[in-house]
Amino acid sequence: MRQPRRLELVWVGKEERRRPEPRVLIENPTLSVGPSGTSENRLIHGDNLLALRALEAEFTGKVKCVFIDPPYNTGSAFAHYDDGLEHSIWLGLMRDRLEIIRRLLSEDGSLWISIDDNEAHYLKVLCDEIFGRRNFVANVVWQKRTSPDARLRLGGAHDHILVFARDADRLALNTLPLSGVQAKSYRNPDGDARGPWTSTDFTAQGWRPNQMYRIVSPAGVEFDPPPGRCWANVESAFRLLLDQKRIWFGADGTARPRIKNFLSEREGVSAWSWWDNSEAGHNQEAKKESIALFGAGNAFATPKPERLIKRVLDIATRPGDLVLDSFAGSGTTGAVAHKMSRRWIMVEIGDHAHTHIIPRLRKVIDGVDAGGVTEAAGWQGGGGYHYFDLAPSLIEADTHGRGVISKAYDHDWLVAAVCTLEGFVHAPSETVFWQHGHSTERDFIYVVPRFMTADELSRLSEEVGTSRSLLVMCRAFRGNSAAFPNLTVRKIPNHFIDRFDWGQEDYRLNVAEGQGDGIKSP
């Protein structure tokens, strides 16, 4: 019997898979800010696909919220990045990154993607395929403009923010704080000691026999539920609310019953999928923020307003949660996350990592950025971050085109790189020379950039013992490795030479067939 085909998005080149090399992150202390070891925040300069791969070993399942604002693929030319990729190339670019992002998210985490109409609907189907349709949360419509575009007869007023959960059953989103406008709707016309309140309808849609009773107001007016509706609760629950003086019949006691909701008891309001620019900011506001930060001549071309990011983080995170933005742009996500006491990771390949992000973060840390959400977040400065570059490719070609270990790698870099490639946590022991990393409490890795003799393997096997296992990665070895059941011996770089695309530094554009694959196996 023929198997039914699954519903999926198809594009040219979908079956072509990139094989990004998991790189080591190398900290540059001269660009890090704050006392060493005091911050978990990270700014990574480099290609974001390579950076995401580098983050997997340490951060899989640990990121609470990912907000990304990828190139919109509008065909426009922007100063800070290329935004004109052909649709199929763009989809492949996004697919490769979204698959890793899904693995990085915690079980109760969520992904928020800002996008416009050019790719939003294709991206929604792509995310359905990667995350599962059941994990789609909402398509938030953000009103990004304050007035129509006079150049167009039907101009776009909004962007989409697609929201997906890692696991919809475990996702718990927060309510939003009441805005000043919302708080003003609470009044106290009857002088209730519990303070200001607002009222809501005491009816529900439908017909339920136990919710079809008659209510008599204090003025003697009788009320039945309106046609097509019933009362919001059973009569015993209504009587309890009445005894608690939580039912409002109007100032003269003749109005249809409503429930009193007190401001003092309100923890927040549930968000919905329409985000008015009065609440979530707009493009003009974002541009003014960018000019205030960088000057009119150096303002970022396509910033997002800080209020938009704050709204996302208010809903999706709590203080101390980890936030990731792998299309950092001018650094809005990290700046807002910092002000809101969230931990953050940002990735940016462009020069504006230095011209925009670093100066912006310094202002936030020094407490001299008075704009954006600084006042709303109560931010006064502090904290820091670690700056990382991606290590160069581990494998380079020798004069014969064969893959060899890059000369840029010293012993420490090599150990870290091989641990990452083999899926081990890089954690060299200070007391046991052969413990360079571990995958479990009893499974270790030892990286030896030289030839190993049979006697060395024998002594190593004896020290490891029968209750532990060890992966030995060496240049070459002599002897029968099968004679040591607690050891697995592999040659480097032969063991992983065919697994990744070596020497590829930029995955922003489509890689032609064969490009980046000029290294031959030994």
Side-chain angles (χ1 to χ4, degrees):
M1 183 175 177
R2 195 156 116 196
Q3 293 281 17
R5 295 194 60 176
R6 66 172 182 166
L7 186 65
E8 63 177 314
L9 185 64
V10 178
W11 66 85
V12 175
K14 182 178 182 179
E15 304 308 317
E16 297 174 9
R17 284 285 181 169
R18 297 163 181 81
R19 303 181 303 165
E21 168 195 0
R23 299 286 184 91
V24 174
L25 295 174
I26 306 298
E27 183 171 4
N28 184 339
T30 62
L31 294 178
S32 296
V33 177
S36 178
T38 61
S39 175
E40 297 180 76
N41 303 323
R42 299 189 180 196
L43 173 59
I44 302 170
H45 184 229
D47 179 85
N48 61 9
L49 182 58
L50 290 170
L52 289 171
R53 287 287 278 133
L55 292 170
E56 278 194 274
E58 183 177 353
F59 290 100
T60 291
K62 296 181 180 180
V63 178
K64 185 63 179 293
C65 174
V66 175
F67 177 87
I68 55 174
D69 183 18
Y72 280 10
N73 199 18
T74 62
S76 302
F78 292 90
H80 298 295
Y81 53 73
D82 257 341
D83 194 24
L85 306 181
E86 195 269 337
H87 291 284
S88 61
I89 299 174
W90 188 90
L91 288 167
L93 176 151
M94 292 304 300
R95 184 267 314 275
D96 295 342
R97 287 152 177 81
L98 290 171
E99 288 178 339
I100 302 175
I101 284 171
R102 180 180 178 273
R103 296 193 288 269
L104 292 174
L105 281 172
S106 61
E107 290 295 325
D108 59 350
S110 57
L111 165 66
W112 303 65
I113 313 175
S114 176
I115 199 71
D116 71 0
D117 283 331
N118 285 285
E119 296 288 1
H121 307 89
Y122 294 95
L123 184 59
K124 164 63 166 64
V125 179
L126 176 62
C127 288
D128 284 341
E129 191 173 325
I130 294 171
F131 285 81
R133 291 186 70 178
R134 61 175 292 275
N135 292 314
F136 171 67
V137 178
N139 175 19
V140 172
V141 179
W142 167 51
Q143 186 188 21
K144 65 180 180 181
R145 297 182 63 90
T146 56
S147 61
D149 188 338
R151 299 168 300 176
L152 303 173
R153 294 300 181 209
L154 188 60
H158 68 277
D159 275 354
H160 305 265
I161 300 178
L162 300 179
V163 186
F164 277 82
R166 176 65 175 82
D167 183 344
D169 293 335
R170 300 192 183 192
L171 180 66
L173 300 178
N174 307 317
T175 56
L176 289 169
L178 268 68
S179 67
V181 173
Q182 292 167 329
K184 287 180 180 178
S185 67
Y186 287 78
R187 303 179 183 277
N188 196 358
D190 59 348
D192 196 304
R194 289 165 288 190
W197 53 270
T198 188
S199 64
T200 53
D201 186 17
F202 187 64
T203 67
Q205 189 173 0
W207 188 92
R208 299 177 182 86
N210 59 346
Q211 293 172 223
M212 299 300 295
Y213 48 92
R214 178 167 293 175
I215 292 176
V216 181
S217 77
V221 181
E222 296 181 348
F223 293 100
D224 291 317
R229 301 184 71 83
C230 59
W231 296 123
N233 218 319
V234 297
E235 188 169 8
S236 59
F238 165 76
R239 293 293 173 192
L240 179 61
L241 292 170
L242 192 64
D243 291 342
Q244 295 174 344
K245 298 186 177 357
R246 290 178 177 267
I247 299 295
W248 175 247
F249 290 96
D252 58 1
T254 61
R256 187 177 299 279
R258 296 175 66 82
I259 302 174
K260 293 170 71 173
N261 301 291
F262 293 93
L263 179 61
S264 60
E265 298 173 349
R266 195 68 183 265
E267 294 183 357
V269 294
S270 295
W272 63 337
S273 60
W274 164 249
W275 289 9
D276 188 278
N277 58 36
S278 65
E279 298 177 345
H282 47 78
N283 285 348
Q284 186 178 1
E285 175 182 319
K287 196 70 174 180
K288 289 180 179 179
E289 290 174 353
S290 188
I291 291 172
L293 286 165
F294 310 118
N298 195 36
F300 196 72
T302 56
K304 287 292 185 288
E306 290 199 6
R307 283 198 294 163
L308 177 68
I309 307 302
K310 183 178 186 299
R311 193 175 182 87
V312 170
L313 300 188
D314 275 332
I315 296 170
T317 68
R318 295 185 182 278
D321 285 340
L322 180 59
V323 178
L324 168 66
D325 184 349
S326 54
F327 292 89
S330 64
T332 305
T333 300
V336 174
H338 201 101
K339 294 176 184 180
M340 295 177 66
S341 300
R342 274 64 168 171
R343 295 175 296 137
W344 54 264
I345 299 172
M346 289 194 292
V347 182
E348 181 52 57
I349 190 173
D351 290 339
H352 44 289
H354 304 108
T355 60
H356 290 73
I357 295 178
I358 289 177
R360 181 178 197 166
L361 292 174
R362 288 304 302 256
K363 290 181 178 181
V364 172
I365 291 167
D366 293 342
V368 297
D369 172 14
V373 301
T374 296
E375 183 177 352
W379 179 250
Q380 296 180 343
Y385 63 89
H386 297 278
Y387 177 98
F388 292 89
D389 288 302
L390 292 169
S393 181
L394 176 63
I395 303 300
E396 63 184 15
D398 65 10
T399 55
H400 302 287
R402 297 174 301 183
V404 296
I405 300 296
S406 168
K407 298 181 183 64
Y409 276 73
D410 60 17
H411 180 261
D412 291 339
W413 277 23
L414 178 63
V415 170
V418 174
C419 285
T420 300
L421 291 174
E422 296 302 313
F424 283 73
V425 176
H426 176 230
S429 170
E430 295 182 357
T431 57
V432 183
F433 74 92
W434 48 265
Q435 290 183 8
H436 284 156
H438 59 83
S439 62
T440 67
E441 293 182 355
R442 296 190 173 278
D443 185 29
F444 301 92
I445 186 171
Y446 178 37
V447 183
V448 194
R450 59 174 177 79
F451 175 86
M452 292 197 73
T453 67
D455 287 343
E456 285 182 298
L457 290 176
S458 177
R459 290 194 298 270
L460 190 59
S461 175
E462 184 177 346
E463 184 167 340
V464 171
T466 58
S467 63
R468 295 178 293 196
S469 58
L470 181 66
L471 172 61
V472 181
M473 303 291 293
C474 59
R475 298 272 189 174
F477 64 93
R478 179 175 294 146
N480 179 16
S481 62
F484 313 111
N486 57 351
L487 301 183
T488 301
V489 188
R490 296 286 182 263
K491 295 180 181 180
I492 54 176
N494 305 42
H495 178 60
F496 44 68
I497 191 72
D498 295 322
R499 284 162 48 188
F500 305 105
D501 299 325
W502 307 103
Q504 182 67 37
E505 301 296 336
D506 188 344
Y507 284 92
R508 284 178 294 177
L509 300 175
N510 193 30
V511 180
E513 187 175 355
Q515 184 176 342
D517 195 27
I519 295 175
K520 304 172 186 175
S521 300

